[in-house]
């Protein structure tokens, strides 16, 4: 019974996280389109607020030494926040940025395959091909002659996913 409750709690938290992620992307796009928010400003504000929330949670709920966390993870935090999802949203739109960002697991899978010297299994290869075809269709709308999004949006989106995978 405890395992079922844990699994249901996990599913609920995954749904909540995905919902918040989607709402955040749409909110960012709204700020860009209707309030001329600067994408770099929004990235910085988002990162600072999220970092403060995590540190408060760590300090008060988990009773951790937040200064030790900051000392140990500052470089990782800077690397991850260098290129962000909201920057990509500002260059294209929330849907495209989300697809590009969620290429991160593909990079992790490819890296792990390389490190273990093992070719991904058929199911994983189908996932890789599907992800690449999806990004190709979003970026080109199926045309080999031109991009449907700016080269900068595609570059920053892919780099953001690589940064996320590295983190």
């Amino acid at each position: 019974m405890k395992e079922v409750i844990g699994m249901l709690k996990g599913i609920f938290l995954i749904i909540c996280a995905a919902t918040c992620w989607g709402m955040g992307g749409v909110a960012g796009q709204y700020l860009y389109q209707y309030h001329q928010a600067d994408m770099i400003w929004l990235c910085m504000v988002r990162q600072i607020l999220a970092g403060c929330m995590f540190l408060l949670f760590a300090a008060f709920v988990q009773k951790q030494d937040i200064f030790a966390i900051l000392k140990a993870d500052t470089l990782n935090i800077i690397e991850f926040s260098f290129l962000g999802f909201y920057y990509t949203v500002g260059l294209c739109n929330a849907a495209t940025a989300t697809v590009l960002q969620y290429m991160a697991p593909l990079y992790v899978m490819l890296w792990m395959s390389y490190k273990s010297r093992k070719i991904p299994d058929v199911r994983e290869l189908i996932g890789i091909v599907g992800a690449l075809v999806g990004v190709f269709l979003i970026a080109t709308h199926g045309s080999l002659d031109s991009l449907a999004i700016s080269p900068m949006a595609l570059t920053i989106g892919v780099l953001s996913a690589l940064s996320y995978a590295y983190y």
Side-chain angles (χ1 to χ4, degrees):
M1 182 65 171
K2 214 173 192 182
E3 291 176 12
V4 172
I5 291 173
M7 186 176 74
L8 291 175
K9 180 180 175 184
I11 291 170
F12 175 74
L13 291 174
I14 289 169
I15 291 170
C16 288
T19 301
C20 289
W21 181 267
M23 290 172 29
V26 172
Q29 186 172 348
Y30 175 82
L31 289 172
Y32 295 141
Q33 285 182 342
Y34 298 107
H35 297 286
Q36 289 72 43
D38 180 61
M39 64 185 88
I40 295 173
W41 174 85
L42 185 58
C43 287
M44 288 187 314
V45 168
R46 177 185 170 270
Q47 293 292 342
I48 290 168
L49 290 175
C52 289
M53 289 170 51
F54 279 121
L55 289 173
L56 288 171
F57 179 81
F60 294 109
V61 176
Q62 296 182 330
K63 309 291 187 215
Q64 292 184 18
D65 178 10
I66 61 172
F67 297 105
I69 293 170
L70 286 172
K71 185 177 177 184
D73 290 332
T74 300
L75 183 61
N76 286 338
I77 292 167
I78 291 169
E79 289 168 347
F80 178 64
S81 62
F82 179 72
L83 296 169
F85 170 72
Y86 285 100
Y87 188 57
T88 309
V89 171
L91 294 171
C92 53
N93 60 58
T96 302
T98 300
V99 170
L100 292 173
Q101 181 76 26
Y102 279 100
M103 290 289 289
L106 174 113
Y107 302 133
V108 171
M109 183 174 27
L110 291 173
W111 177 254
M112 294 308 294
S113 293
Y114 170 76
K115 289 294 284 183
S116 66
R117 307 280 193 253
K118 179 183 167 230
I119 295 174
D121 65 24
V122 173
R123 181 179 54 166
E124 292 168 336
L125 287 172
I126 291 171
I128 290 169
V129 170
L132 292 174
V133 167
V135 168
F136 170 78
L137 291 174
I138 283 176
T140 66
H141 287 180
S143 170
L144 295 174
D145 297 334
S146 64
L147 288 174
I149 62 174
S150 73
M152 181 67 125
L154 182 60
T155 302
I156 295 297
V158 169
L159 289 175
S160 177
L162 282 169
S163 174
Y164 183 30
Y166 173 76
Y167 177 69

